[in-house]
Amino acid sequence: MKIWLNGGLQDIETARVSVLDHGLTVGDGIFETVKSVQGRPFALTRHLDRLARSARGLGLPEPDLDEVRAACAAVLDANPLPLGRLRITYTGGLSPLGSDRGDQGQTFVVAVGEAGRRSDTTAVITVPWTRNERGALTGLKTTSYAENVVALARAREEGASEALFANTVGQLCEGTGSNVFVVLDGEIHTPPVASGCLAGITRALAAEWTNARETDLPLDVLDRADEVFLTSTLRDVQAVRRIDGRELPGAPGPVTAKAMRVFDERAADDLDP
């Protein structure tokens, strides 16, 4: 396996990042996960735009996006996979212990791993912890991901693949690594970015291609929604068949099934929409 580290391809067995890297010591970093199909990245331009936004939001120097593109191409060429999870990571770099950043430059890594196609349906749970829609990191895709690790572990314990959060005012927000859509009386709704959710790439495409509405939704909408589905880079559009103890018989329902079909068709037509 070859990865890109700070300017070139390296063997994964010998590639090294300092134990004092700020991404390790304090989670000072950003990342993107990009789906690759037959060695080609999907929606890379949108992912790179968000990477740059996250860097600005975190106060990091913006990465050279031409270098990022070249690194992605090099890693994909070096590791041919039918379906892959391409991970771009960019951190504050070598820094003193503590929250202050050093002046040694940033750490930049691109790696890829094999992925499998997701199942058409999944189970989710809700968790008691909240997203802070007014936090300093809200809307940024950062490596400060521990609360997602905790929530996802809870989901796994309960036989689910995802955990859903409300925000601090009790509105439906997002999953640990996904956005959530609900179907009410035949119409598709998803929480707005103002709810504190990440502006997901797949979320944006699915909303555009299905004419979904951004709507402030209480968490208990999950108790009455006709259909629910998740979107993410590797889920694409995935129907929810169970939420906590509530079964959604027949999932994917007709609206979700159409959304899945539309997404697959549009994504196949254009790998960089």
Side-chain angles (χ1 to χ4, degrees), residues 42-60:
F42 178 72
L44 183 59
T45 298
R46 289 176 182 255
H47 280 285
L48 296 189
D49 287 346
R50 189 172 64 183
L51 186 75
R53 291 198 304 272
S54 292
R56 291 193 296 270
L58 210 58
L60 288 168

Side-chain angles (χ1 to χ4, degrees), residues 100-112:
D100 290 326
R101 288 192 181 118
D103 57 5
Q104 303 299 304
Q106 287 66 54
T107 298
F108 170 49
V109 180
V110 179
V112 68

Side-chain angles (χ1 to χ4, degrees), residues 4 8 26 55 60 68 88 92 98 117 147 176 189 197 204 210 253:
W4 185 280
V26 298
L60 288 168
V68 179
I88 304 165
R117 178 171 170 78
E147 67 175 13
T176 67
H189 301 261
C197 69
T210 65

Side-chain angles (χ1 to χ4, degrees), residues 30-104:
I30 57 176
F31 77 100
E32 287 289 323
T33 299
V34 182
K35 179 175 68 174
S36 67
V37 182
Q38 299 299 334
R40 298 178 61 193
F42 178 72
L44 183 59
T45 298
R46 289 176 182 255
H47 280 285
L48 296 189
D49 287 346
R50 189 172 64 183
L51 186 75
R53 291 198 304 272
S54 292
R56 291 193 296 270
L58 210 58
L60 288 168
E62 286 192 32
D64 181 337
L65 298 186
D66 289 335
E67 180 188 2
V68 179
R69 280 186 181 275
C72 291
V75 168
L76 290 173
D77 286 345
N79 305 282
L81 294 169
L83 183 65
R85 176 195 296 265
L86 187 69
R87 162 84 179 221
I88 304 165
T89 307
Y90 182 73
T91 81
L94 183 63
S95 301
L97 292 173
S99 297
D100 290 326
R101 288 192 181 118
D103 57 5
Q104 303 299 304

